[in-house]
Amino acid sequence: MKLTEDDIYRSSTQYRNWSFTPAQLTAQRLKTNQQASERVKAAVARQRAQRARQSQLDSANTSESERNEVVCLTPEEELKLVDTFCDVAQKLGDFCNYPAEITATCIQFVRRFYLFNSPMTYEGQNITRTAMFIANKAESHFLDVEVFSSQCGKNSTAEKILAPEYLIIQALRYNLDVKHPFRALKGGHLELVELARGNLATLPNASQTATELQNEMLQLPRKAGGPAVKMTGPELEKRLGEAYGFAAYILKTAALLTDSYFLYTPSQIWLAAHLLADEPVTLFYLSTKIPPSHPTYSKLVTTIRACATLISSHRSYRSDRSSAEEKDIRDQQAREEIKALVKKLRQCRDPDKVDLVKLNQAQKRDAVHEGGLEENKAKRRKLQREGYEKEADGFWGPDIAKNGGGK
Amino acid sequence: MSKTATRAGATSKDDICPVCKSSRYLNPNMKFLVNPECYHKMCESCVDRIFSHGPAPCPIAGCKRTLRKARFRRQTFEDLKVEREVDIRRKVAKLFDKEQDDFETLRDYNDYLETVETTLWNLILKIDLEATNRRIGLWQQHLTEESNSTQRTQVEDPSLLTDKSHVILKKGGTQRKNVAGIKQDLLTGVGDEPETGFVFRGLKKRVAPEPEKPYDPYNGWSIEPQYYVVQDDYNVDWITHPKHDPAFTVGGYDVRDLYSRALCDAFGGLGVFIEDEKAPQPSVGAATALPVVDGGGGGGQDVNMDDIF
């Protein structure tokens, strides 16, 4: 009974619940969008009907704008908004100086959340902050919610952070483990350096010795398709170090902000990032693992190239390779676009879900239900509990109840 | 209640202690005790008086058995014969504890029961007492040897021991066995009894329980990486620095965990092609004609989950 590393990955929740083919991903986003739109339209219609009843009593006219049908966001627009939320999350992580894993986990939480929920239903700002709070806990970086909320901005309170917490956890299907390619990249770098030094333990079925591989590696061309060069050992190690740095940067930015986590495995993602950083070395390294004649090899290279294309298509990747002017123009455009989207979003928010704090309160013990009796009861209970708490805070603690423990 | 009543009735009949001749009339709290050695009755104060200073012979005339105070007890049954029979049966039942499952046929089991019952009655009625006792003694010895031998086979191969038994001095069990063997040789030389005291036909062979295997938390599963070999050591300072850092090492951190974990991460899922594996599996006939229409439910099975708000 043997398990390969692939089997181990197959047992993860990331593979079982959060990996999709592109078609599935699009279909799911469309479905989420449709469901959310229906809900928004129904909720708005209900609200208008209520208001119309009231205005009949007041004998006032309904305004023209209210008769219009609500214009909902399209799936593409939703995706753009989600990308914006992810950008915001990244900035928040940078601002708070969190380790890369935490920010990365938070971004994946947001992306996973909005795969089954729409920005029209739940507002991005709150969700992002709460996701960051959950990500901190999921990555064993515990912090006080008060401290965190004070870092998040002026209008943020602990209550607002905590309100959607359960909602998010549930939407994540309690899968709090996100498999990142960061440690994987380190593992790959370890092997590459040993390979460059000519003392990497070879695979059992390898045809070449470590020294042969080292010699071959020293002659790898600088660029794909370039002429073969003769490198010294230190030069090669420096080249690997640079490749590592660039790949790590890509993993922390562009790779996170695209759908790569949904479509590819962490192993393929780090190889794609490394491919973008140094193509000849990455391909050579792959060929030492799987012989190029093997059918899996070509398939794997195709997959990794596709992943690299996806990553490199992201704005943050492109902006690094263009001049400052172009970048400014593009950023300006993006900002305008987002502004318009946010404006549109304001028109089609689900009115039922605007105040998450209140909704969360309604779930709790002291929730005030309709009907006077219930209200009285809740109030009395609340007063009672406050009394107990006050007593418990006293120096000698609460009085010991007589007749076997209170009422 | 009824039990105490009968006992009271029994004592009231012969309420004079045969040793000190004191009667219940003088001492209403008098209790009679017996010793399973000879089953002679005497009162509690006599037992205290005679046996407090250690073992002493039975004070009843004609009985010279040595009795100990600790063995004295109140009789359970009114009839002392019954009391004695129960005691004997209890002792013998400990030695002959075979069940029907231990025998190959019912006939063999019945034969066994008959042998045991005959032995019992020999003891109870004191027929051929000496020979019976000796056979029981041999049988007891045989039983202890048998249980010892099962313990030993778990440790080492007994066949190796018997070959060299003359050369090497053995530990406990083996030595005892050799001595016992010699003794049995002597005994079998004297009489025509079997050397184990009793021989029962049709006994199933005892199978020693299999020695327990060491606990395997992975239940036989192991991880066999196909894309990498973990080396004992790597030298990339900024990644492998924990191996020289006392802050890590004093806590028992093994840097090899880092290597194996990083490499498992690096190649876990390398050969997993999500596009192939996650694609909805077309059912055999119909789906081949249809293009992929419903991709929505493919990943998350429970898409329409309850909204808590």
Side-chain angles (χ1 to χ4, degrees):
Chain A
M1 296 198 287
K2 288 167 188 172
L3 285 174
T4 63
E5 54 272 51
D6 285 347
D7 297 328
I8 294 175
Y9 182 70
R10 281 197 190 97
S11 70
S12 68
T13 50
Q14 180 157 332
Y15 172 78
R16 284 186 286 135
N17 297 341
W18 299 102
S19 293
F20 306 94
T21 66
Q24 284 172 345
L25 207 58
T26 324
Q28 180 53 47
R29 287 198 168 122
L30 184 65
K31 194 174 172 187
T32 306
N33 177 264
Q34 282 168 350
Q35 282 176 343
S37 309
E38 275 163 29
R39 276 175 77 159
V40 168
K41 278 169 191 166
V44 169
R46 199 172 56 227
Q47 215 176 28
R48 276 178 194 169
Q50 208 174 1
R51 222 177 290 160
R53 241 178 287 132
Q54 277 181 347
S55 58
Q56 269 175 1
L57 295 177
D58 301 345
S59 66
N61 287 334
T62 49
S63 63
E64 189 65 27
S65 67
E66 293 220 331
R67 294 235 180 94
N68 292 343
E69 179 78 344
V70 192
V71 185
C72 290
L73 295 175
T74 60
E76 292 75 33
E77 286 168 336
E78 279 188 343
L79 185 57
K80 264 180 199 153
L81 274 174
V82 173
D83 284 338
T84 320
F85 300 152
C86 293
D87 283 338
V88 172
Q90 201 176 27
K91 275 179 199 147
L92 178 64
D94 288 346
F95 173 74
C96 298
N97 274 330
Y98 291 144
E101 278 89 357
I102 293 179
T103 316
T105 305
C106 168
I107 291 173
Q108 290 315 309
F109 282 174
V110 171
R111 292 192 86 84
R112 286 177 182 186
F113 178 83
Y114 280 115
L115 190 56
F116 291 99
N117 290 287
S118 163
M120 292 186 281
T121 320
Y122 296 109
E123 201 240 329
Q125 195 184 43
N126 278 334
I127 298 294
T128 309
R129 286 170 181 174
T130 310
M132 183 61 92
F133 185 61
I134 297 171
N136 265 299
K137 293 198 272 189
E139 298 285 333
S140 313
H141 183 266
F142 302 104
L143 51 100
D144 191 0
V145 64
E146 297 286 349
V147 175
F148 177 70
S149 71
S150 69
Q151 277 175 326
C152 281
K154 264 178 276 173
N155 61 353
S156 164
T157 60
E159 241 180 4
K160 271 190 188 171
I161 302 278
L162 293 180
E165 196 175 25
Y166 183 56
L167 169 81
I168 295 179
I169 298 266
Q170 197 190 35
L172 294 174
R173 282 147 183 73
Y174 308 99
N175 302 152
L176 297 179
D177 184 30
V178 181
K179 293 208 176 292
H180 292 298
F182 304 133
R183 197 188 300 112
L185 178 64
K186 280 185 185 168
H189 185 66
L190 281 180
E191 280 217 320
L192 278 168
V193 170
E194 293 295 309
L195 194 63
R197 289 177 187 160
N199 45 12
L200 183 73
T202 47
L203 290 171
N205 55 358
S207 54
Q208 287 164 301
T209 63
T211 331
E212 283 170 7
L213 287 174
Q214 183 193 18
N215 287 334
E216 204 176 316
M217 197 176 181
L218 287 171
Q219 288 166 8
L220 285 177
R222 283 268 178 196
K223 286 255 152 56
V229 288
K230 185 84 188 128
M231 275 192 175
T232 59
E235 271 177 353
L236 182 57
E237 275 188 40
K238 194 174 166 227
R239 177 178 170 179
L240 291 177
E242 280 164 7
Y244 174 87
F246 189 64
Y249 175 71
I250 294 174
L251 290 184
K252 281 173 199 166
T253 53
L256 274 180
L257 301 169
T258 55
D259 284 334
S260 60
Y261 277 59
F262 290 138
L263 301 174
Y264 303 99
T265 65
S267 173
Q268 290 159 355
I269 295 171
W270 84 259
L271 280 167
H274 210 273
L275 189 83
L276 289 171
D278 195 334
E279 192 170 324
V281 167
T282 315
L283 291 180
F284 168 74
Y285 181 52
L286 266 183
S287 70
T288 65
K289 297 297 177 190
I290 304 168
S293 53
H294 203 274
T296 323
Y297 179 79
S298 55
K299 194 175 177 189
L300 188 60
V301 171
T302 319
T303 310
I304 288 172
R305 278 194 198 282
C307 181
T309 316
L310 174 72
I311 291 172
S312 60
S313 70
H314 190 257
R315 186 164 41 81
S316 74
Y317 182 83
R318 273 184 291 146
S319 64
D320 292 331
R321 347 228 102 209
S322 50
S323 64
E325 276 174 42
E326 275 180 45
K327 198 178 158 186
D328 277 348
I329 293 168
R330 210 180 301 125
D331 282 358
Q332 188 66 31
Q333 274 177 350
R335 234 175 282 140
E336 296 283 326
E337 208 174 345
I338 296 300
K339 237 182 193 172
L341 278 182
V342 171
K343 205 170 171 188
K344 189 177 175 189
L345 174 64
R346 221 167 275 150
Q347 302 300 317
C348 59
R349 297 265 337 252
D350 188 343
D352 292 346
K353 310 278 177 179
V354 172
D355 194 349
L356 289 179
V357 177
K358 208 168 175 185
L359 285 169
N360 190 35
Q361 276 298 322
Q363 292 289 110
K364 294 286 170 67
R365 268 190 302 197
D366 294 329
V368 176
H369 297 280
E370 271 139 69
L373 192 70
E374 281 289 310
E375 201 169 334
N376 275 340
K377 234 187 209 169
K379 210 172 182 180
R380 199 173 64 228
R381 225 181 287 156
K382 196 180 172 187
L383 278 176
Q384 256 176 15
R385 201 175 58 250
E386 277 172 359
Y388 292 146
E389 277 168 7
K390 210 182 272 172
E391 274 181 23
D393 284 343
F395 184 73
W396 298 109
D399 287 338
I400 295 164
K402 282 157 198 155
N403 330 332
K407 298 126 214 174
Chain B
M1 192 65 198
S2 64
K3 203 173 162 188
T4 52
T6 52
R7 188 174 291 151
T11 46
S12 62
K13 243 187 258 170
D14 44 354
D15 45 2
I16 298 175
C17 171
V19 182
C20 59
K21 312 290 182 203
S22 69
S23 67
R24 185 171 295 281
Y25 179 74
L26 295 172
N27 182 4
N29 293 329
M30 196 161 64
K31 277 182 207 158
F32 285 99
L33 301 176
V34 292
N35 193 312
E37 198 68 34
C38 62
Y39 294 96
H40 285 136
K41 236 196 243 179
M42 58 192 84
C43 73
E44 205 174 14
S45 62
C46 285
V47 171
D48 276 345
R49 184 166 47 83
I50 301 169
F51 302 101
S52 296
H53 301 294
C58 180
I60 307 287
C63 177
K64 285 171 200 149
R65 287 170 187 276
T66 310
L67 307 179
R68 282 156 211 282
K69 196 188 168 192
R71 303 284 309 275
F72 276 95
R73 61 159 201 247
R74 294 184 73 168
Q75 68 189 77
T76 315
F77 299 98
E78 193 181 335
D79 189 349
L80 279 171
K81 275 184 189 158
V82 175
E83 179 94 18
R84 177 166 168 271
E85 184 179 340
V86 168
D87 282 349
I88 292 172
R89 277 182 184 278
R90 188 190 296 137
K91 250 185 262 169
V92 171
K94 260 183 203 163
L95 296 175
F96 297 90
D97 56 351
K98 304 271 183 241
E99 289 170 354
Q100 195 180 340
D101 288 348
D102 297 332
F103 290 90
E104 269 153 17
T105 60
L106 181 63
R107 173 67 202 257
D108 289 329
Y109 180 54
N110 286 336
D111 285 350
Y112 160 78
L113 286 182
E114 195 184 338
T115 316
V116 173
E117 201 61 20
T118 314
T119 318
L120 260 173
W121 281 105
N122 279 351
L123 289 176
I124 291 166
L125 302 178
K126 301 182 181 171
I127 305 164
D128 212 0
L129 201 58
E130 202 178 316
T132 314
N133 273 334
R134 195 175 63 237
R135 289 175 78 189
I136 288 177
L138 287 172
W139 177 248
Q140 196 169 6
Q141 209 171 31
H142 167 71
L143 286 182
T144 48
E145 263 166 36
E146 206 173 43
S147 62
N148 279 346
S149 74
T150 53
Q151 277 170 13
R152 203 170 46 234
T153 46
Q154 286 178 352
V155 186
E156 45 204 347
D157 191 1
S159 64
L160 291 173
L161 290 173
T162 48
D163 290 344
K164 300 173 186 171
S165 57
H166 299 292
V167 188
I168 308 168
L169 199 65
K170 288 285 149 25
K171 282 179 211 157
T174 334
Q175 256 177 350
R176 224 178 296 136
K177 194 190 175 190
N178 288 339
V179 172
I182 294 161
K183 213 164 148 191
Q184 277 163 16
D185 286 346
L186 288 174
L187 280 173
T188 44
V190 172
D192 56 346
E193 288 166 357
E195 56 181 57
T196 55
F198 294 91
V199 168
F200 299 115
R201 269 184 302 118
L203 253 180
K204 281 182 196 164
K205 201 151 169 97
R206 249 180 76 167
V207 184
E210 253 182 49
E212 229 174 74
K213 285 175 199 148
Y215 175 65
D216 177 16
Y218 298 112
N219 202 10
W221 290 91
S222 62
I223 295 171
E224 305 261 325
Q226 49 179 343
Y227 302 119
Y228 63 89
V229 179
V230 184
Q231 286 174 220
D232 271 347
D233 199 18
Y234 294 87
N235 280 307
V236 181
D237 282 344
W238 58 271
I239 296 178
T240 60
H241 68 90
K243 69 180 170 185
H244 301 303
D245 192 345
F248 289 89
T249 49
V250 287
Y253 179 73
D254 190 348
V255 75
R256 277 172 298 182
D257 292 343
L258 172 75
Y259 302 150
S260 60
R261 199 166 170 207
L263 285 171
C264 186
D265 269 14
F267 295 101
L270 183 67
V272 176
F273 299 103
I274 290 172
E275 201 155 344
D276 296 350
E277 295 187 15
K278 282 286 174 176
Q281 299 295 322
S283 57
V284 184
T288 46
L290 289 167
V292 182
V293 182
D294 178 35
Q301 298 83 351
D302 48 348
V303 175
N304 297 316
M305 58 194 316
D306 293 334
D307 197 341
I308 57 154
F309 287 153

